Amino acid sequence: MITQIAADLTAWTRLLGCIGDAATLATCDPKALRYRFLHVPARLAHSARRRRLKIPESWPWTAAIVAVFAHIAAIPQPA
């Protein structure tokens, strides 16, 4: 069941987030997608009651990952 949830989460992330600037991530296989998302050398910083994910500019997929998070954050929340 956990494996199915992980597969669904990967599929929905690819469908909803990997558009526009992040289209390069939509075409890669699940193993590469997990590597590019889960192995990011990022830090979570807290300041002014906000959380910020600091991704180094040297990471090859920085722009694509930021675009995916922006697309997912733009999805309207149900009322």
Side-chain angles (χ1 to χ4, degrees), residues 52-68:
R52 298 178 193 258
L53 187 63
K54 296 189 176 195
I55 303 171
E57 294 293 325
S58 62
W59 187 251
W61 303 284
T62 299
I65 291 171
V66 170
V68 168

Side-chain angles (χ1 to χ4, degrees), residues 1-67:
M1 186 155 186
I2 292 173
T3 306
Q4 278 302 117
I5 292 171
D8 287 344
L9 183 61
T10 302
W12 280 107
T13 301
R14 184 176 288 171
L15 179 70
L16 296 175
C18 295
I19 54 176
D21 295 337
T24 58
L25 293 177
T27 58
C28 62
D29 59 317
K31 186 176 181 179
L33 188 67
R34 281 193 315 266
Y35 173 77
R36 292 173 185 176
F37 273 123
L38 298 178
H39 295 122
V40 178
R43 291 182 317 156
L44 186 61
H46 299 275
S47 66
R49 296 184 188 185
R50 292 186 178 208
R51 288 185 217 136
R52 298 178 193 258
L53 187 63
K54 296 189 176 195
I55 303 171
E57 294 293 325
S58 62
W59 187 251
W61 303 284
T62 299
I65 291 171
V66 170

